[in-house]
Amino acid sequence: MTVTVIPEATVQTTGGTTRATLRRNFWRGVWRVLRRKPSRMAGVVIVLLFAVMGLIGPLLYPDHLPRDDNALYSPPSLQHPFGTDFEGTDVLALVVTGARYVLLTGLATAVITVALGTAIGLFAGFRRGRWDTALMRLTDMNLAIPGLPLLLVLSAVWKFESPIEMGLVLGLLGWGGVARAVRSQTLSLRERGFIEAARGLGLPTTHIIGRELLPSMAPYIAMNMLIAVTGAVYAQVGLFFLGVLPFEANNWGVMLNLAVFNGGALTTPAALPYLLAPLLAILLLTLGIVLIVDAMDEIFNPRLREE
Amino acid sequence: MTRSRGGAVARRVAGHLIRGLVMVWVVATISFVIIREIPGNPVQGQYESLIQKGMSPEQAERATAVLYGFLPTGSLWDQYTGYLGSLLHFDLGRSLSTPGVEVTTLIGHAARWTVLPVLAGTLLSFLLGVTMGVYAAIKRSGKLGDLLALSGSLLHGVPVYVIGLLLTAIFTTLWPILPSGGPVDVEFVPGLNPGYVGSLLQHAVLPVVTYTLASYGGWILAMKSNVVAVLGDDFILAAELRGLKRGIVFRYLARNAILPLFTILALSIGMLFGGSIFIEEIFNYPGLGLLLVNSISSRDYALMGGTFLVITVGIIVANIAADLLYTAIDPRVRSGGSA
């Protein structure tokens, strides 16, 4: 489900003033890539929109969303763009206030996935030998055990009360792909001239890893992080949709669950907007992230540049 | 075939099998730990409630052991070896929510509702994705190619329950032409009569289409990039220069591009097995995924552990089988990668 991208390594920068110019050129390049295809700009706008939604969304509405007993499952109107739910609450408000939980989990998962995966991949690729073999066996195992059934069974023991806890579990289950990609990248980079030069100069290992290796891999670590966000959003919305977790807070998965299993959205058209609104939110978020990853791929992978 | 080559193949097979067994053991251990760590300790609870009902401790102990596959008393190590021991005899305990029925029986009944649709969906998506992938590669600079690649990226990126929910919303609510849930209409007598079979097929359409769409994206994207790579190879140019018929060139192309796809086969089957949890919940299809979700909500932990084990082991076995299949058909892997 999660896809791992492996683009080419990027140019190394050295020296104070050249670094500044390179940085300026870099941002100019970013701007050019974004401008050439408007769809990529749309990706940035969509993701920013969701970020704002997660940050200030819950502040826009009162703590307890107003209910309207006279307008249960009312059809979309100007007042309620996506209709109302089974209690007469505005569906759009539910989507906006539910975004924080979903996105926070996604962010926590992405940070843990990428931190663990990068650390393990770097270590295995740099040390090689016995450590490498052992860590890659572990990675294979992590990749081979299917995540969703395990998550379901874990939910019987652990109720994942906060988004951070949920992110922790999802991250611990999902680092395999990143680890393998980072390892293969490390294996190929450590044979390159600039790493050999650094080693020849007798620079400490921390410098080689932190200053030489990591910056070369930063772009695709960032891309994998974005992709990990979508994976985490799917997984946790799915868990809440299945109804195996207690409903702590309003979020998109809870909405899907209530729409399908309480509202009968699959048999009565009235509850359909209530079902479609969170689905639409997921699709839009995916689209935004896919567009950004596509743009990043072109910025950092010179082979794809069409200049 | 030389002796050393045969030995290499045997070593490879043995390596896969050993790794598979280790994985199964790890999964069984996880399952044991989870059942033991469930809040409220259901195993101990069952034992105590049986004693309160007037059973002697030995009887209660045996009855609980039948349910969960390990003794409620005794050290952690005894419980663990007991659990693994009963697994070796394919004894997964008994269900609580369907009292007295063995977990293996329930799983056996549910398995066909998962395995058949998953296989049908895999086959359909493979045929569809591979054909469309060739088209997308040949027409890659045109509108059609763009559209096909976009359809692949979108379907590949979207979670399976979104596909399932959208299909249900369209074909059972907005335009009700297909049944919305269940494996078959109840009014038909099970058996080989046209009414029953027809209803069975009608109910299978949406789940199978969802499985198909869920893995179609992966196939078309992979096939497209493979064909594009092969298109640049010299032997295709040579074939064209020799004036071979287009059909033969097409066969050259497809044969060489399709081979790497078998590595994704395992991933795809595994993904669909995981996805079955959502698909069966949405379509109320009585397969393994629905069994797992229901066992969790009804706190039937023996059933939960058993279903989890079977689903996971199924995926691991599919992985090994795909690896071996790949070894068998790819001459480069077969000869130990020296070619």
Side-chain angles (χ1 to χ4, degrees):
Chain A
M1 289 207 230
T2 39
V3 192
T4 313
V5 249
I6 312 169
E8 291 294 294
T10 45
V11 204
Q12 281 297 296
T13 61
T14 39
T17 48
T18 41
R19 192 166 276 180
T21 13
L22 275 175
R23 194 169 295 151
R24 212 175 317 121
N25 284 342
F26 170 77
W27 285 113
R28 219 173 277 157
V30 169
W31 178 244
R32 214 173 31 235
V33 167
L34 284 182
R35 214 179 34 189
R36 197 168 46 238
K37 275 198 182 169
S39 61
R40 290 175 180 156
M41 200 73 107
V44 176
V45 172
I46 292 171
V47 170
L48 281 180
L49 199 78
F50 274 103
V52 171
M53 209 191 245
L55 276 176
I56 63 163
L59 306 177
L60 297 177
Y61 295 94
D63 273 354
H64 295 281
L65 294 171
R67 297 171 183 180
D68 183 356
D69 289 338
N70 300 321
L72 306 183
Y73 290 126
S74 71
S77 60
L78 269 184
Q79 198 189 351
H80 305 294
F82 285 98
T84 57
D85 74 347
F86 61 101
E87 296 175 319
T89 312
D90 183 36
V91 169
L92 182 64
L94 285 170
V95 171
V96 172
T97 51
R100 178 179 283 184
Y101 188 100
V102 176
L103 295 177
L104 202 58
T105 312
L107 199 67
T109 311
V111 169
I112 293 165
T113 307
V114 164
L116 258 181
T118 309
I120 290 175
L122 265 178
F123 192 77
F126 204 75
R127 289 297 281 278
R128 298 196 289 197
R130 209 176 299 154
W131 274 102
D132 184 26
T133 318
L135 285 174
M136 280 305 111
R137 278 284 144 79
L138 200 68
T139 310
D140 282 342
M141 215 165 265
N142 179 275
L143 286 170
I145 294 183
L148 185 71
L150 185 57
L151 272 174
L152 274 178
V153 175
L154 269 179
S155 74
V157 194
W158 192 358
K159 290 307 173 197
F160 315 123
E161 262 141 25
S162 70
I164 305 292
E165 262 178 57
M166 173 88 101
L168 185 72
V169 177
L170 289 175
L172 283 176
L173 290 179
W175 53 267
V178 179
R180 198 183 262 175
V182 168
R183 171 182 171 267
S184 69
Q185 194 74 4
T186 310
L187 280 178
S188 94
L189 278 177
R190 78 197 295 278
E191 305 303 329
R192 298 266 178 98
F194 68 95
I195 300 286
E196 293 218 337
R199 225 182 289 144
L201 285 170
L203 293 172
T205 315
T206 47
H207 176 96
I208 296 178
I209 290 181
R211 286 300 191 77
E212 309 289 344
L213 268 179
L214 266 183
S216 320
M217 283 190 273
Y220 89 77
I221 291 176
M223 277 190 246
N224 280 316
M225 201 158 155
L226 277 177
I227 293 170
V229 171
T230 58
V233 168
Y234 298 161
Q236 53 132 347
V237 169
L239 279 181
F240 279 104
F241 164 63
L242 290 175
V244 292
L245 294 177
F247 298 163
E248 292 289 332
N250 161 42
N251 71 50
W252 301 344
V254 173
M255 293 177 71
L256 284 181
N257 179 283
L258 292 176
V260 171
F261 301 112
N262 287 13
L266 299 182
T267 44
T268 50
L272 215 48
Y274 182 39
L275 170 74
L276 290 180
L279 286 185
L280 207 65
I282 296 174
L283 287 178
L284 210 58
L285 180 65
T286 308
L287 186 69
I289 288 183
V290 166
L291 289 173
I292 289 190
V293 170
D294 178 48
M296 282 174 81
D297 207 13
E298 191 175 319
I299 292 168
F300 294 112
N301 189 349
R303 277 200 214 159
L304 289 178
R305 238 170 261 161
E306 341 161 332
E307 282 161 90
Chain B
M1 188 174 263
T2 61
R3 227 178 112 216
S4 69
R5 194 175 285 175
V9 171
R11 252 202 310 280
R12 207 181 151 85
V13 172
H16 277 303
L17 290 182
I18 290 172
R19 228 169 292 159
L21 281 177
V22 172
M23 292 285 309
V24 170
W25 170 69
V26 168
V27 171
T29 308
I30 294 175
S31 168
F32 170 77
V33 170
I34 287 176
I35 292 179
R36 267 219 31 136
E37 291 306 312
I38 280 168
N41 198 347
V43 183
Q44 193 67 31
Q46 178 75 20
Y47 175 64
E48 276 157 16
S49 85
L50 284 178
I51 287 184
Q52 271 179 358
K53 278 181 194 152
M55 266 195 195
S56 72
E58 292 84 47
Q59 266 179 318
E61 196 169 86
R62 226 173 303 133
T64 319
V66 164
L67 269 174
Y68 288 101
F70 56 88
L71 292 171
T73 52
S75 69
L76 189 65
W77 178 250
D78 286 343
Q79 292 187 342
Y80 180 56
T81 47
Y83 182 72
L84 290 187
S86 45
L87 284 187
L88 283 180
H89 297 106
F90 297 102
D91 174 14
L92 297 172
R94 277 167 203 270
S95 163
L96 270 181
S97 50
T98 329
V101 181
E102 284 187 28
V103 166
T104 40
T105 316
L106 288 174
I107 290 177
H109 281 299
R112 70 189 80 157
W113 296 107
T114 302
V115 173
L116 287 180
V118 163
L119 288 184
T122 307
L123 193 68
L124 277 175
S125 67
F126 182 80
L127 293 177
L128 201 69
V130 162
T131 328
M132 292 297 150
V134 175
Y135 271 107
I138 293 174
K139 313 251 180 224
R140 65 184 177 285
S141 44
K143 273 257 160 24
L144 181 68
D146 269 352
L147 211 67
L148 284 172
L150 186 72
S151 78
S153 306
L154 261 183
L155 285 172
H156 188 56
V158 160
V160 54
Y161 52 86
V162 172
I163 301 176
L165 284 173
L166 284 179
L167 281 178
T168 335
I170 295 169
F171 291 108
T172 69
T173 312
L174 289 176
W175 186 33
I177 52 166
L178 288 168
S180 69
V184 69
D185 283 326
V186 283
E187 71 245 35
F188 297 108
V189 193
L192 263 180
N193 55 72
Y196 181 75
V197 174
S199 165
L200 210 61
L201 290 177
Q202 215 180 12
H203 281 80
V205 169
L206 279 181
V208 170
V209 169
T210 313
Y211 282 120
T212 307
L213 289 181
S215 57
Y216 157 83
W219 293 121
I220 185 174
L221 292 181
M223 190 63 186
K224 186 194 160 190
S225 72
N226 287 347
V227 172
V228 169
V230 174
L231 270 176
D233 274 352
D234 291 341
F235 71 92
I236 294 291
L237 183 67
E240 276 171 2
L241 288 180
R242 267 151 66 209
L244 292 181
K245 286 195 198 105
R246 288 188 72 183
I248 297 177
V249 177
F250 185 86
R251 212 187 308 154
Y252 280 10
L253 204 65
R255 271 194 165 180
N256 282 282
I258 232 170
L259 209 50
L261 286 189
F262 284 96
T263 46
I264 332 176
L265 190 66
L267 279 179
S268 163
I269 291 182
M271 197 195 80
L272 288 187
F273 255 106
S276 74
I277 293 170
F278 291 117
I279 292 177
E280 284 161 13
E281 181 82 11
I282 293 170
F283 298 108
N284 197 16
Y285 220 64
L288 292 174
L290 193 65
L291 199 63
L292 181 61
V293 176
N294 287 347
S295 70
I296 293 172
S297 40
S298 61
R299 294 166 199 283
D300 188 347
Y301 296 120
L303 184 58
M304 179 192 83
T307 318
F308 168 67
L309 262 180
V310 169
I311 292 181
T312 322
V313 170
I315 294 175
I316 293 171
V317 169
N319 267 305
I320 296 175
D323 258 355
L324 292 179
L325 182 72
Y326 192 59
T327 319
I329 55 172
D330 190 339
R332 280 164 299 191
V333 180
R334 197 163 54 215
S335 59
S338 55

